[in-house]
Amino acid sequence: MSSILLEMQGISKSFPGVKALSNVNLRVEDGEIHALVGENGAGKSTLMKVLAGDIPHGDYEGRVVYDGNECRFSGMKDSERVGIVTIHQELALVPTLSIAENMFLGNERGSYFAMDWDQTYRQAAKYLAVVGLDESPHTLVKDIGVGKQQLVEIAKALAKKVRLLILDEPTASLNDNDSQKLLDLLVQFKKEGMTSIMISHKLTEISQISDRITVIRDGSTIETLTRNVDDFSEPRIIKGMVGREMTDRFPKRESHPSDIGLEVRNWTVYHPLYPGRKVCEDININVRKGEVVGISGLMGAGRTELAMSIFGRSYGAKISGQLFLNGREVRLASVQDAIANKLAYVTEDRKGAGLLLASEIRGNTTLANLPRISSRRGVLDKDKEIKLAKVYTEMLSVKCSGIEQAVGDLSGGNQQKVLLAKWMFAEPEVLILDEPTRGIDVGAKYEIYTIINKLVADNKSVLMISSELPEILGMCDRIYVMNEGRIVGEFTRAEASQEAIMASILKSKAGAEPAAAVQGA
């Protein structure tokens, strides 16, 4: 019979105006993989912050019992001291330091007066071997991909003698291959006695590796499902998360495309740091008004690089080719030019490049179109800003305490809505959406899809980049497939399938020498 390693009893936590957790209970058995699921804002991350000491004892109600002892952590150092280590969705690595330096940052080898570098690099190599990462400990973190950086985080946790590993959306930024490697590694650690708590919106992964699944909704524990006892299917998990059956993952939409809104001809882009390397080569695509067109491809295909190069040449060098908006050729030399020509780009990195997290919803919403709320002399009209920010917040159903709430305090799904509001406020005719639902739950995804459908119904042109094939297939009228900097396939909705998309990628790999790819989407 399994023993209980962790028990969180009656955990409640409030923030100003918000009850984040209400009498939450969680039991985790020693040596299991325990999934924690729920919609954005359900309280999953808050509960894990309580466990890790990021929300210290005394700032919440309830008890945390770990390995038979009640815990009163005042910070994350306290939880790490007993073997509880958290890996956050936003990796806590310093790009300009080596892998080894990152692994032992704050956990240095040596004395207070001198680092033991031989021991540092020797132990780093040992833990890298455990996670299956064939990289020199001397390699700078900026020189390895996101998938390898995730493995560095796990190796870093192992160096802290982890017994309970908490992973918050560990595969959100990984491709399918890297995701599977990570899942396999967690299963291997389980066999060796490690316990894991995994937060993820990728329900196929949850059902694949979890022993038990605890569902949290609106800050309360709803149920815990057990493998081989309860139904582990996606529809069953979703029902627990949202409180109802979701028979349709994608809202229905009739497609009535008209004139071409965006067209790219013979578009070629070179890497900004390596002048001889093409990241996009001879791209020809178009998007009609009232149409959603998808770009699918493996990580490294050049999709984000293409999107950013179109959006005011915000990425790339030696860009050549023609760009047409509403049938008129334009040359967009800057982001300001793009916005002025009614082109918007919703970045995949909402926290790093899309939003000002410390600023309020109001300022983020109006940021891309300040002239709309300014007088002729360029003075901001705050009353007008407040009025319009409220309109967009209500239109997109942003769950918040008000437009003065800091964006950083919102859930991921609501942050994404604010990012969409920002660009809708700019009144674009063409929107490029780069991974518009990354890291958000199925309920919030459905709301984002509904917003996209409304944009298309208003005769906007939408170009959507996504790494999730079901999303591409469920939302797009046409699909371009990109691989290693080139368009290698085009499908209508009727022709498209996961098999057809992957076949076009594999076929292109076996063909002529393609444009060199860069690390990224």
Side-chain angles (χ1 to χ4, degrees):
M1 184 175 178
S2 299
S3 62
I4 301 299
L5 176 64
L6 168 72
E7 190 161 10
M8 303 183 75
Q9 304 167 346
I11 304 297
S12 296
K13 171 63 182 174
S14 294
F15 296 102
V18 179
K19 184 77 170 180
L21 299 173
S22 179
N23 196 35
V24 173
N25 296 288
L26 175 68
R27 297 179 69 186
V28 178
E29 295 183 0
D30 197 6
E32 75 169 341
I33 298 176
H34 196 115
L36 195 59
V37 302
E39 295 187 275
N40 289 106
K44 307 181 299 294
S45 295
T46 302
L47 184 65
M48 291 301 96
K49 287 180 179 179
V50 169
L51 172 58
D54 198 24
I55 296 176
H57 183 265
D59 283 0
Y60 61 87
E61 298 173 25
R63 299 172 70 238
V64 177
V65 179
Y66 174 74
D67 202 18
N69 300 306
E70 184 174 354
C71 301
R72 295 178 172 84
F73 300 142
S74 60
M76 296 188 72
K77 280 288 185 182
D78 291 346
S79 63
E80 289 181 354
R81 201 170 289 119
V82 297
I84 302 173
V85 181
T86 303
I87 298 177
H88 298 282
Q89 183 177 350
E90 287 78 30
L91 303 181
L93 299 174
V94 182
T96 53
L97 295 182
S98 70
I99 290 174
E101 288 170 318
N102 271 282
M103 282 177 57
F104 293 101
L105 193 62
N107 186 29
E108 288 81 5
R109 296 301 185 255
S111 67
Y112 285 110
F113 306 103
M115 284 281 291
D116 187 335
W117 290 109
D118 288 340
Q119 186 183 12
T120 298
Y121 285 103
R122 185 171 61 252
Q123 290 194 15
K126 180 182 77 172
Y127 290 117
L128 291 177
V130 172
V131 301
L133 184 53
D134 186 20
E135 290 284 348
S136 166
H138 296 272
T139 302
L140 298 184
V141 163
K142 69 180 181 65
D143 294 330
I144 61 176
V146 176
K148 291 183 177 180
Q149 289 180 20
Q150 190 68 266
L151 293 178
V152 170
E153 281 280 21
I154 294 177
K156 180 179 176 181
L158 295 178
K160 295 176 180 176
K161 307 301 182 186
V162 59
R163 184 177 176 189
L164 173 59
L165 182 64
I166 305 167
L167 302 106
D168 191 351
E169 296 289 350
T171 63
S173 300
L174 304 185
N175 60 30
D176 290 343
N177 187 47
D178 286 339
S179 293
Q180 191 57 53
K181 287 181 180 177
L182 179 57
L183 298 178
D184 292 342
L185 190 60
L186 293 179
V187 172
Q188 180 59 41
F189 287 158
K190 171 191 165 184
K191 293 177 181 177
E192 295 170 2
M194 184 187 294
T195 306
S196 299
I197 298 176
M198 180 174 172
I199 299 173
S200 179
H201 293 305
K202 295 185 178 181
L203 301 184
T204 52
E205 297 178 355
I206 288 293
S207 57
Q208 177 187 338
I209 69 167
S210 300
D211 297 296
R212 292 194 298 155
I213 302 171
T214 292
V215 181
I216 295 180
R217 184 169 73 236
D218 297 330
S220 300
T221 308
I222 300 302
E223 59 187 346
T224 295
L225 307 176
T226 303
R227 181 176 294 281
N228 300 326
V229 176
D230 299 301
D231 183 0
F232 260 37
S233 66
E234 285 190 54
R236 175 66 184 83
I237 299 170
I238 291 169
K239 181 181 178 182
M241 289 170 58
V242 303
R244 65 187 188 279
E245 300 278 0
M246 281 192 68
T247 55
D248 294 317
R249 299 284 290 275
F250 304 96
K252 291 180 172 55
R253 169 173 55 85
E254 291 186 8
S255 179
H256 302 288
S258 56
D259 299 332
I260 293 176
L262 169 71
E263 185 175 9
V264 175
R265 296 180 189 171
N266 308 315
W267 196 258
T268 296
V269 181
Y270 285 81
H271 194 284
L273 300 180
Y274 305 100
R277 181 188 297 178
K278 291 180 183 178
V279 294
C280 300
E281 182 174 5
D282 198 27
I283 302 292
N284 291 277
I285 61 173
N286 65 74
V287 186
R288 295 182 179 276
K289 296 179 181 179
E291 183 181 42
V292 179
V293 172
I295 299 184
S296 182
L298 303 175
M299 188 174 289
R303 297 166 299 165
T304 291
E305 291 78 9
L306 171 64
M308 292 181 67
S309 67
I310 293 171
F311 185 61
R313 299 175 181 247
S314 51
Y315 174 89
K318 295 192 295 182
I319 298 172
S320 61
Q322 294 175 285
L323 176 64
F324 296 84
L325 293 173
N326 297 316
R328 177 175 61 89
E329 185 173 3
V330 295
R331 179 178 174 80
L332 308 179
S334 67
V335 169
Q336 289 78 10
D337 284 350
I339 295 172
N341 282 273
K342 303 297 183 181
L343 175 63
Y345 170 62
V346 178
T347 175
E348 64 176 340
D349 183 10
R350 62 176 174 262
K351 292 188 176 181
L355 297 168
L356 302 176
L357 298 181
S359 296
E360 71 288 334
I361 294 170
R362 169 175 54 83
N364 274 277
T365 301
T366 59
L367 189 60
N369 193 6
L370 293 178
R372 189 176 171 187
I373 54 167
S374 301
S375 68
R376 291 181 180 179
R377 296 181 178 180
V379 178
L380 289 178
D381 184 335
K382 189 172 181 181
D383 290 338
K384 190 174 183 179
E385 181 184 43
I386 290 171
K387 180 180 178 180
L388 288 172
K390 285 181 178 178
V391 168
Y392 279 83
T393 300
E394 291 170 5
M395 183 193 306
L396 273 63
S397 302
V398 178
K399 294 179 182 177
C400 59
S401 60
I403 60 170
E404 301 301 327
Q405 184 175 358
V407 170
D409 293 336
L410 300 176
S411 68
N414 286 299
Q415 287 179 0
Q416 193 68 23
K417 288 181 184 179
V418 173
L419 182 58
L420 278 170
K422 166 186 169 181
W423 287 111
M424 289 171 65
F425 187 80
E427 301 177 302
E429 295 297 324
V430 179
L431 290 95
I432 303 174
L433 309 179
D434 196 348
E435 303 286 1
T437 66
R438 172 174 286 171
I440 63 177
D441 63 78
V442 288
K445 283 183 179 182
Y446 192 92
E447 292 179 329
I448 298 294
Y449 299 149
T450 301
I451 294 167
I452 293 171
N453 284 353
K454 185 180 184 304
L455 290 168
V456 172
D458 290 339
N459 216 31
K460 310 297 184 187
S461 304
V462 175
L463 182 64
M464 186 168 81
I465 298 168
S466 177
S467 298
E468 297 187 28
L469 282 177
E471 181 170 82
I472 286 284
L473 295 169
M475 284 297 297
C476 298
D477 300 300
R478 285 188 296 123
I479 300 166
Y480 290 103
V481 183
M482 208 171 166
N483 187 51
E484 296 185 308
R486 289 178 174 172
I487 299 295
V488 298
E490 180 182 354
F491 301 94
T492 65
R493 178 191 286 266
E495 296 168 338
S497 67
Q498 295 196 33
E499 293 77 13
I501 290 172
M502 291 308 301
S504 65
I505 292 173
L506 294 173
K507 183 178 179 181
S508 71
K509 286 181 176 292
E513 183 69 22
V518 295
Q519 182 67 37

